[in-house]
Amino acid sequence: MSEFFSVVSPIDGQELCRREYAKPSDIEQAVKAAKQAQAAWFASGLAERKAKIGAAIDWLVAHKDEVAAAITHSMGRPISQSPGEVKGLEERARYMLSIADTALADIVPEEKAGFKRFLRREPVGVVLVMAPWNYPFLTAVNAIVPALAAGNVVLLKHSSQTPQVAELFQAAFDAADLPVGVFQSLHMNHADTDALLQSDAVDFVAFTGSVNGGHQVQAAISKRFIGAGLELGGKDPAYVRADADVASAAENLVDGAFFNSGQSCCGIERIYVHASVYEAFVQAFVAVTQQYRLGNPTDANTNLGPMVRSSAADFVRAQIAEAVAQGAKSLVDEAAFPASQVGTAYLSPHVLVNVNHNMRVMREESFGPVVGIMAVQDDEEAIRLMNDSDFGLTASIWTQDALAAEALAGQIATGTVFMNRCDYLDPALAWTGVKDTGHGISLSELGYAQLTRVKSYHLRVG
């Protein structure tokens, strides 16, 4: 197995950087340092921990240009959009720190004469965070901040597409003067990561990635009684009801489908529209889509960049071609996006109609700039189709009837339901999912629960 790995930029297919994998001895030393540091880090107190974590976030915000450049060059998001990830990172981190005192506070039941009783959340120990490339800072911070705030120590294994992100996190926590061993990033290959998961070194793993990757994590820890948070993607639907504001729905759903070149676990991948507004919605959706400018993401005028790699674009092209062969129709002329070229990571947005659930593009996660739109006759048909999926991360309902939206939301098998918005994480709400989207919770007060153990104190005092 190679001792090095290369990062190929989707911008031009050229090597962006080369890194060395951590040796087994390096990993062993990191684990030893983490375990040695954990007790003292917890004992330092929540206020001290919050201050140091906050200082690390300050560092990342102050280096937002460097952060944005790392995102753009390593995974292709337009430089006009990459700084937004810093804003989101800060929002989530600050919020999770602001609720830490409440989320980690002792739980005290009713008084009982002669006894002092309470439940206390204590850290699990060593948390391994395995983060993906598509939102490299946002996905990682969801677990890193609450894990450290709760008194755990963290090992970060970032995607091999985004090693620079791991290094920026390390620089931020080093600048914040965290004690040695409290936060460490490691560039690890699959075999060494698997071995680490099977060992007694890790007490919890937070993984964001593919369904296959989630299965590998569960298999690796199957002989150990440790927890895992698994966020494994989605095939997120939207339903546009007859009473929806069609123009607003179209504009927002285009963004939800094509932002980040569709490479979002909570991106919109299928849309169901009431037949009475179907034609108007499709027309508006295509008009907005045609305003996109696909090109080099370092150009400030570009608002749609390449996919992460050419093989990912090839996968989506194959889904589209298969659907068209089965009767679907693409309403966007790829020739209008000259940067879109077979064999490259550049792929134009595609809007498909005449689609059905026999097509892979409506059932299989695409993770690219393509969306299928179907007409439905009523709420019942829309809910049936929205639930006809192996995934359940988010769903959105577009309507002016809030009561109807809430009632329909209760029938959808998903982790989050939106009304008149999509593709957004509110840090005050639990980020979770059902079915092949995985299990576990990040963000909100509940996000602290899986990163802590509950200990009951039952003290006879009288």
Side-chain angles (χ1 to χ4, degrees):
M1 185 174 291
S2 175
E3 296 180 356
F4 297 87
F5 65 98
S6 295
V7 177
V8 174
S9 175
I11 296 175
D12 54 12
Q14 300 300 307
E15 183 177 270
L16 176 63
C17 62
R18 180 182 292 259
R19 294 291 187 269
E20 183 178 6
Y21 283 121
K23 299 179 178 64
S25 59
D26 298 329
I27 299 170
E28 182 180 357
Q29 182 57 43
V31 169
K32 181 179 179 180
K35 289 185 174 295
Q36 289 177 341
Q38 194 272 316
W41 173 245
F42 179 49
S44 68
L46 180 55
E48 175 69 13
R49 296 195 299 271
K50 287 170 58 178
K52 288 189 178 297
I53 298 166
I57 300 305
D58 291 342
W59 189 94
L60 287 170
V61 171
H63 291 76
K64 62 182 179 181
D65 292 342
E66 189 176 353
V67 168
I71 294 170
T72 294
H73 287 278
S74 61
M75 53 79 59
R77 189 182 311 150
I79 196 64
S80 60
Q81 300 166 354
S82 292
E85 186 150 345
V86 181
K87 181 180 179 181
L89 173 151
E90 183 178 18
E91 177 190 22
R92 295 183 193 181
R94 304 285 191 215
Y95 181 81
M96 293 305 289
L97 291 176
S98 75
I99 64 171
D101 292 84
T102 301
L104 297 171
D106 291 346
I107 302 170
V108 183
E110 72 280 0
E111 289 188 14
K112 185 174 182 179
F115 294 92
K116 180 180 181 180
R117 301 178 304 159
F118 60 93
L119 298 86
R120 177 163 292 165
R121 294 195 178 278
E122 299 185 350
V124 295
V126 179
V127 174
L128 174 63
V129 177
M130 301 175 66
W133 51 264
N134 63 318
Y135 284 90
F137 287 92
L138 286 179
T139 52
V141 82
N142 288 353
I144 290 172
V145 166
L148 291 173
N152 299 289
V153 292
V154 169
L155 300 175
L156 172 63
K157 189 267 183 222
H158 221 295
S159 166
S160 58
Q161 185 68 32
T162 45
Q164 294 168 313
V165 172
E167 291 158 8
L168 285 166
F169 268 119
Q170 188 70 66
F173 284 111
D174 288 347
D177 199 28
L178 265 68
V180 174
V182 171
F183 177 89
Q184 299 170 87
S185 63
L186 293 165
H187 301 318
M188 293 189 292
N189 60 37
H190 289 299
D192 288 337
T193 303
D194 194 62
L196 180 62
L197 288 168
Q198 293 182 51
S199 73
D200 63 357
V202 175
D203 301 298
F204 184 87
V205 55
F207 173 82
T208 304
S210 67
V211 174
N212 183 56
H215 281 302
Q216 292 178 32
V217 169
Q218 287 211 144
I221 65 173
S222 62
K223 294 183 179 180
R224 303 191 60 226
F225 297 120
I226 67 171
L230 305 174
E231 194 220 302
L232 310 178
K235 188 72 179 174
D236 290 8
Y239 171 35
V240 181
R241 297 183 79 229
D243 67 339
D245 180 332
V246 169
S248 176
E251 182 178 0
N252 282 277
L253 286 171
V254 168
D255 182 69
F258 300 138
F259 187 84
N260 211 39
S261 296
Q263 298 169 127
S264 304
C265 56
C266 59
I268 297 298
E269 296 207 2
R270 51 199 175 104
I271 303 174
Y272 307 100
V273 185
H274 193 276
S276 63
V277 294
Y278 177 79
E279 293 296 338
F281 174 83
V282 170
Q283 183 178 9
F285 192 96
V286 171
V288 176
T289 300
Q290 290 172 334
Q291 296 173 19
Y292 271 81
R293 299 177 299 279
L294 174 67
N296 188 313
T298 63
D299 184 340
N301 292 316
T302 293
N303 60 4
L304 185 67
M307 295 186 66
V308 68
R309 57 183 66 92
S310 59
S311 59
D314 289 343
F315 174 83
V316 179
R317 290 182 197 278
Q319 274 192 340
I320 296 167
E322 182 180 285
V324 170
Q326 293 173 332
K329 180 180 179 181
S330 179
L331 299 182
V332 177
D333 183 2
E334 193 163 353
F337 297 85
S340 184
Q341 297 289 331
V342 174
T344 74
Y346 290 84
L347 175 62
S348 70
H350 280 265
V351 180
L352 302 180
V353 294
N354 299 344
V355 291
N356 60 61
H357 276 219
N358 292 320
M359 299 174 179
R360 282 195 306 147
V361 76
M362 294 299 287
R363 299 293 303 279
E364 183 180 73
E365 187 172 29
S366 302
F367 219 62
V370 59
V371 66
I373 307 178
M374 289 180 64
V376 296
Q377 297 304 312
D378 51 31
D379 292 347
E380 183 178 357
E381 183 181 10
I383 296 301
R384 177 179 62 80
L385 290 169
M386 293 172 89
N387 285 335
D388 184 26
S389 173
D390 292 333
F391 297 96
L393 183 57
T394 79
S396 66
I397 300 170
W398 300 78
T399 178
Q400 299 189 52
D401 188 337
L403 290 178
E406 189 171 344
L408 293 173
Q411 302 174 50
I412 304 173
T414 191
T416 298
V417 180
F418 298 102
M419 174 181 141
N420 296 339
R421 80 177 311 175
C422 60
D423 192 24
Y424 175 75
L425 276 71
D426 183 335
L429 299 177
W431 191 244
T432 186
V434 298
K435 298 187 278 191
D436 278 358
T437 288
H439 61 76
I441 292 174
S442 62
L443 301 177
S444 80
E445 286 190 16
L446 299 179
Y448 279 97
Q450 67 183 9
L451 298 164
T452 53
R453 295 188 182 95
V454 175
K455 181 185 289 184
S456 294
Y457 287 75
H458 194 153
L459 312 174
R460 185 187 294 274
V461 295

